[in-house]
């Protein structure tokens, strides 16, 4: 009944107020309810925005990935080339969010680490295959490894697309953002990365052969 719900709500409010008063009395600090900060650095409330939150999450998500990527490619230049399609894809995804007024929240932000992890795979596979085949092999790389990336990217996107029909707004938001991010990263991996490798060929910047 509505009266019972009102009594329950009032009781919960009283309990929360009591806990808050005890906390403030004992510790001299207000009770903070919510998710913890990403860092110990105090941020001006005027600067707290979804864009700042997104930048912090991307920083922490990319840090360990960049270490592993550098350990794999063993060259700073190679690492930057492999990261360029991913960063470009994330920039595109952010632009689409702005165009379609997709708000960032604590639910759909989970999609960004997922997109980062899956998006870098495309660049790594193409880069390694190109190093194995050598200069002049971009057509072969795109015809073989590129088609494999189409299949893997489509299966990942189909999996996330299954949440589009969910009644929970959080699941729908995560699905939409993941689909946008993975689509952008896939397109940049099969267009921008080959363009960078082709530009390196024309300028005579050869890549070292893939170590066995």
């Amino acid at each position: 009944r509505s009266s019972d719900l009102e009594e329950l709500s009032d009781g919960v409010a009283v309990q929360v107020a009591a806990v808050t008063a005890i906390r403030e009395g004992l510790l001299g600090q207000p009770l903070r309810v919510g998710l913890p900060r990403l860092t110990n650095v105090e941020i001006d409330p005027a600067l707290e925005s979804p864009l700042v939150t997104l930048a912090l999450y991307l920083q922490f998500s990319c840090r360990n990935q960049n270490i592993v990527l550098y350990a794999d490619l063993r060259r700073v230049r190679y690492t930057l080339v492999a990261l360029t399609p991913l960063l470009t894809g994330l920039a595109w995804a952010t632009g689409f969010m702005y165009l379609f007024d997709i708000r960032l929240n604590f639910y759909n932000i989970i999609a960004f680490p997922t997109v980062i992890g899956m998006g870098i795979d495309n660049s790594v596979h193409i880069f390694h295959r190109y190093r194995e085949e050598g200069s002049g092999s971009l057509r072969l790389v795109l015809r073989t490894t590129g088609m494999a990336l189409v299949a893997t990217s489509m299966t990942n996107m189909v999996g996330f697309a299954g949440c589009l029909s969910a009644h929970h707004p959080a699941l729908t938001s995560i699905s939409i953002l993941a689909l946008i991010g993975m689509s952008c990263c896939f397109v940049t991996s099969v267009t921008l990365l080959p363009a960078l490798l082709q530009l390196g060929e024309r300028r005579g910047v050869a890549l070292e052969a893939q170590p066995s």
Side-chain angles (χ1 to χ4, degrees):
R1 293 180 300 177
S2 60
S3 59
D4 294 337
L5 292 177
E6 291 178 359
E7 292 179 2
L8 179 61
S9 176
D10 293 339
V12 172
V14 170
Q15 294 296 326
V16 171
V19 172
T20 303
I22 294 173
R23 171 66 178 267
E24 292 178 354
L26 293 177
L27 302 180
Q29 297 177 352
L31 178 65
R32 298 178 181 271
V33 180
L35 294 178
R37 288 185 179 273
L38 295 176
T39 65
N40 294 326
V41 179
E42 290 295 331
I43 300 176
D44 187 347
L47 299 178
E48 289 185 339
S49 66
L51 186 60
V52 174
T53 305
L54 174 59
L56 291 174
Y57 268 103
L58 292 181
Q59 174 187 351
F60 285 99
S61 299
C62 291
R63 181 180 59 187
N64 295 334
Q65 172 191 275
N66 293 343
I67 295 174
V68 175
L69 187 61
Y70 176 76
D72 176 40
L73 301 179
R74 302 178 184 178
R75 294 289 186 278
V76 175
R77 178 165 59 92
Y78 296 172
T79 303
L80 293 177
V81 171
L83 281 174
T84 299
L86 173 64
L87 298 178
T88 305
L90 292 176
W92 287 7
T94 306
F96 280 115
M97 290 176 62
Y98 176 79
L99 290 176
F100 295 103
D101 195 24
I102 300 176
R103 302 299 179 87
L104 195 67
N105 53 58
F106 283 107
Y107 295 104
N108 60 21
I109 201 172
I110 299 173
F112 271 94
T114 305
V115 170
I116 291 172
M118 294 182 177
I120 194 63
D121 289 347
N122 297 334
S123 298
V124 170
H125 291 314
I126 290 179
F127 196 88
H128 275 297
R129 183 63 188 275
Y130 177 76
R131 291 181 66 187
E132 290 177 357
E133 300 296 336
S135 300
S137 62
L138 281 174
R139 289 182 180 272
L140 174 63
V141 171
L142 292 177
R143 193 166 57 247
T144 54
T145 305
M147 293 305 297
L149 296 182
V150 172
T152 57
S153 298
M154 288 299 297
T155 54
N156 290 330
M157 288 189 285
V158 167
F160 277 101
C163 297
L164 288 175
S165 59
H167 296 289
H168 198 291
L171 293 177
T172 304
S173 179
I174 293 172
S175 177
I176 292 174
L177 199 55
L179 289 174
I180 293 175
M182 285 190 291
S183 300
C184 292
C185 290
F186 168 75
V187 172
T188 55
S189 295
V190 297
T191 56
L192 180 58
L193 180 57
L196 293 175
L197 296 176
Q198 183 65 44
L199 182 63
E201 285 188 10
R202 292 181 178 178
R203 292 186 175 183
V205 181
L207 300 180
E208 296 180 2
Q210 179 71 35
S212 57

